[in-house]
Amino acid sequence: MKKIILMASGEGSNFSAIIDNGIKVDRVITDNKNANVIKRAEKVNVPIFVFDYKEGEYKNGFGWCERKIDEAIPEDVDLIVLAGYMRILSPRFVKRWKDKLINIHPSLLPAFAGGCHAIKDAWEYGCEVFGITVHWVTEEVDAGPIITQRAIHKFEGDTLEKITEKIHRVEHYMYPVTIKKLMGI
Ligand code: GRF
């Protein structure tokens, strides 16, 4: 059985899509004690590790906090899936889990890399083609080798809300498919 850890900070819709597609997630790690992903994980009995950086970071520094996260990841983990994890990981962390860290980003990278509002940014830029990218995580944000991409076209009558919905639907299909392919499951 493959060991998969998922890291998320917010809604957790990708987590649910992954679970609903029959992929076993061993643990959810979140840096946000109010994240909805916690409720989603509880519902399906996936263990959760919540780490609130605020106090720890203030007292002991960012590196210390990240090492706490390391401790919640089994040494023999097969894949660490970032799904809306809103913290930039340190070069040390990325090196530590090299070749096991993947991320999903709601744009056709390298376009609209780095931001938290990639869909809105693309919309405001006037894009007619949107997309999603699954990529390996490297030290530079949203810049690792691409594993897969899908384009989503804007049609007449589309609004930012409609495009956003379409993009999420594609994410919810593509992330599980990609994880299964990578893990041979
Ligand atoms: C997704 O759009 C993902 O591409 C981005 O953050 C969002 C997470 O959504 N990195 P959710 O928390 O899985 O609903």
Side-chain angles (χ1 to χ4, degrees):
M1 184 70 87
K2 297 288 181 187
K3 278 198 187 145
I4 299 174
I5 299 291
L6 183 136
M7 295 171 70
S9 305
E11 178 52 41
S13 66
N14 279 285
F15 163 76
S16 293
I18 288 164
I19 291 285
D20 292 348
N21 275 278
I23 297 167
K24 185 175 177 290
V25 171
D26 286 85
R27 173 174 292 167
V28 167
I29 297 177
T30 183
D31 59 331
N32 175 9
K33 60 180 188 312
N34 300 314
N36 198 48
V37 71
I38 296 175
K39 284 188 202 137
R40 291 177 185 260
E42 275 169 357
K43 232 183 237 168
V44 291
N45 295 318
V46 171
I48 307 148
F49 178 74
V50 186
F51 187 77
D52 190 351
Y53 273 58
K54 270 180 217 127
E55 207 186 337
E57 195 172 359
Y58 174 69
K59 279 192 191 150
N60 306 304
F62 182 76
W64 180 85
C65 296
E66 258 193 356
R67 274 189 281 275
K68 287 279 149 203
I69 291 196
D70 278 345
E71 287 169 19
I73 301 174
E75 195 63 42
D76 58 347
V77 68
D78 292 292
L79 196 67
I80 304 169
V81 175
L82 303 185
Y85 190 69
M86 300 311 284
R87 235 166 242 281
I88 294 174
L89 298 163
S90 71
R92 185 207 60 82
F93 187 91
V94 173
K95 253 188 225 131
R96 167 84 178 81
W97 302 108
K98 193 175 161 346
D99 300 329
K100 295 195 170 171
L101 263 176
I102 62 168
N103 183 41
I104 189 162
H105 188 73
S107 78
L108 289 172
L109 290 175
F112 303 102
C116 300
H117 313 285
I119 304 174
K120 189 165 169 274
D121 292 347
W123 178 268
E124 284 170 1
Y125 199 81
C127 292
E128 297 204 339
V129 183
F130 296 74
I132 65 115
T133 304
V134 180
H135 64 95
W136 294 105
V137 175
T138 53
E139 291 177 21
E140 207 182 320
V141 177
D142 295 334
I146 291 169
I147 302 167
T148 192
Q149 286 189 312
R150 286 296 179 276
I152 295 121
H153 291 257
K154 177 181 168 185
F155 291 107
E156 230 179 285
D158 269 345
T159 57
L160 172 59
E161 290 66 37
K162 275 191 196 165
I163 279 285
T164 303
E165 213 181 291
K166 280 192 217 175
I167 291 172
H168 289 317
R169 230 177 293 140
V170 174
E171 286 190 324
H172 298 162
Y173 172 72
M174 280 311 292
Y175 218 7
V177 164
T178 308
I179 292 168
K180 282 187 178 178
K181 216 168 169 183
L182 286 173
M183 293 290 94
I185 52 179

